[in-house]
Amino acid sequence: LLCNWLAGGVVMQVSLLCFNLLPAYPLDGGRVLASALLMRGLPAQRAARWTCYVAAPIACAVSALGVYSVVTGGSNGILTLFVGAWMATQVLVVWQLQAAGRA
């Protein structure tokens, strides 16, 4: 029983690690992408724009997965939907900042 519980915890942590490394901006992977673009010499505004180009489809995919999970009655569908919406909102904020020249 204890081994099953520990194995479940390890699987959950590895899953969270993999999700957090997606190159969508509010996640760590998105911050790594933005930093890598800046280190390659892109101006901040272009780096922010490219980060949004990469993050927006990922946010839409996470939101679509949440909708699918809610419709099919899967577990944690509403949470996945909210996470996708949060990601999309953050991408929109970064897009607006870069459009205003403040990114």
Side-chain angles (χ1 to χ4, degrees):
L1 181 66
L2 182 60
C3 286
N4 288 341
W5 185 71
L6 289 174
V10 168
V11 168
M12 182 178 63
Q13 290 296 318
V14 170
S15 299
L16 186 58
L17 170 77
C18 292
F19 177 76
N20 203 22
L21 289 178
L22 288 174
Y25 172 69
L27 304 177
D28 290 340
R31 295 173 194 274
V32 169
L33 174 65
S35 295
L37 291 172
L38 289 170
M39 288 177 59
R40 298 263 329 202
L42 261 70
Q45 194 168 358
R46 279 190 69 197
R49 190 177 314 130
W50 275 103
T51 301
C52 289
Y53 289 155
V54 172
I58 294 172
C60 291
V62 172
S63 297
L65 181 64
V67 169
Y68 175 77
S69 186
V70 166
V71 168
T72 59
S75 62
N76 297 326
I78 195 75
L79 180 61
T80 305
L81 180 60
F82 284 144
V83 168
W86 169 73
M87 291 169 65
T89 302
Q90 295 302 308
V91 169
L92 182 62
V93 167
V94 171
W95 182 264
Q96 290 172 340
L97 286 173
Q98 72 83 26
R102 297 185 307 167

